[in-house]
Amino acid sequence: DAGVTQSPTHLIKTRGQQVTLRCSPKSGHDTVSWYQQALGQGPQFIFQYYEEEERQRGNFPDRFSGHQFPNYSSELNVNALLLGDSALYLCASSWRTENLEQYFGPGTRLTVT
Amino acid sequence: SQQGEEDPQALSIQEGENATMNCSYKTSINNLQWYRQNSGRGLVHLILIRSNEREKHSGRLRVTLDTSKKSSSLLITASRAADTASYFCATVPGGYNKLIFGAGTRLAVHP
């Protein structure tokens, strides 16, 4: 039973560029949430996708956008990268939008130079 | 912004000792969850306690929840070097399915 997978593992980008991160949820899960974790901090909720729609959004600018595909996988896009976007980006999956535990992937480490 | 606040920020103990971490939060919740993170990797779910529960056990883990004080504690008994990690509490606000994390407690267990 495959867990949550994310790609790529590491990424280095330059300020102003755009980046796309990918996530495949755990088998049987249909809801994907994205979190940003700065060094030494706890993860912060970016947004959640269910039935291919953004259902909830945290306090992040419109430069952060996402998509969910019919197979429940998801992408996180960040435009006009800033140095402050350097962080570990975590994807988590769960079943429906029930208030249950979420299963996290290993994350994508993004460095913006 | 982060709702939960863990205390202490860092904890250093010897193998075999117990480790207690505390978490406080600000608003009403549906449930509270504890996660572990090793060396900046993905988070692993440890335990979930619902707002109508007061105590829950899972192996060497014991979690308590006091909704009147808006606080929770995680106790790890008979700690091992492999328990070295960062521990986060995460609240699930009523009506939402998103996790709001604190800044975490960094636990170091020395052999």
Side-chain angles (χ1 to χ4, degrees):
Chain A
D1 179 19
V4 179
T5 60
Q6 292 186 244
S7 64
T9 305
H10 296 89
L11 204 52
I12 300 175
K13 290 286 189 178
T14 304
R15 274 180 301 176
Q17 287 188 318
Q18 177 264 345
V19 69
T20 298
L21 311 182
R22 296 177 175 81
C23 171
S24 291
K26 177 180 169 62
S27 177
H29 286 181
D30 57 8
T31 301
V32 173
S33 301
W34 286 92
Y35 295 82
Q36 180 196 65
Q37 185 178 23
L39 199 61
Q41 300 296 316
Q44 293 207 26
F45 176 77
I46 303 175
F47 42 54
Q48 181 182 82
Y49 277 84
Y50 171 65
E51 291 187 332
E52 302 179 47
E53 290 187 11
E54 183 182 296
R55 298 292 177 167
Q56 297 183 65
R57 189 178 184 91
N59 188 26
F60 280 81
D62 292 343
R63 298 187 298 109
F64 289 77
S65 63
H67 188 76
Q68 185 179 36
F69 299 94
N71 67 352
Y72 308 123
S73 67
S74 176
E75 288 182 349
L76 163 65
N77 301 293
V78 186
N79 294 323
L81 285 167
L82 304 173
L83 295 179
D85 294 332
S86 295
L88 180 68
Y89 288 85
L90 296 162
C91 167
S93 73
S94 57
W95 184 73
R96 300 292 170 89
T97 55
E98 301 296 322
N99 295 321
L100 301 174
E101 62 266 31
Q102 298 189 15
Y103 291 77
F104 282 80
T108 293
R109 174 72 63 185
L110 172 65
T111 301
V112 182
T113 61
Chain B
S1 62
Q2 294 175 325
Q3 169 167 235
E5 291 186 7
E6 284 93 341
D7 170 57
Q9 291 184 332
L11 183 59
S12 181
I13 60 175
Q14 298 295 127
E15 263 191 334
E17 294 181 338
N18 295 340
T20 299
M21 288 159 266
N22 302 297
C23 168
S24 60
Y25 58 93
K26 298 174 184 174
T27 63
S28 63
I29 61 172
N30 180 287
N31 65 67
L32 184 146
Q33 304 177 28
W34 286 89
Y35 287 81
R36 184 186 73 221
Q37 185 177 41
N38 291 83
S39 302
R41 299 173 64 184
L43 281 79
V44 174
H45 179 264
L46 296 176
I47 197 165
L48 180 154
I49 186 165
R50 300 185 190 281
S51 59
N52 61 353
E53 297 176 311
R54 292 297 169 259
E55 187 171 312
K56 204 162 183 178
H57 297 256
S58 177
R60 294 184 295 113
L61 306 180
R62 172 179 171 256
V63 169
T64 62
L65 178 64
D66 187 334
T67 53
S68 66
K69 295 181 179 178
K70 291 187 169 58
S71 67
S72 174
S73 68
L74 170 67
L75 169 67
I76 303 174
T77 60
S79 63
R80 306 165 182 168
D83 294 329
T84 295
S86 291
Y87 291 82
F88 296 91
C89 74
T91 54
V92 178
Y96 297 93
N97 182 30
K98 62 180 181 182
L99 298 172
I100 301 179
F101 287 88
T105 293
R106 294 184 304 280
L107 173 66
V109 182
H110 303 283

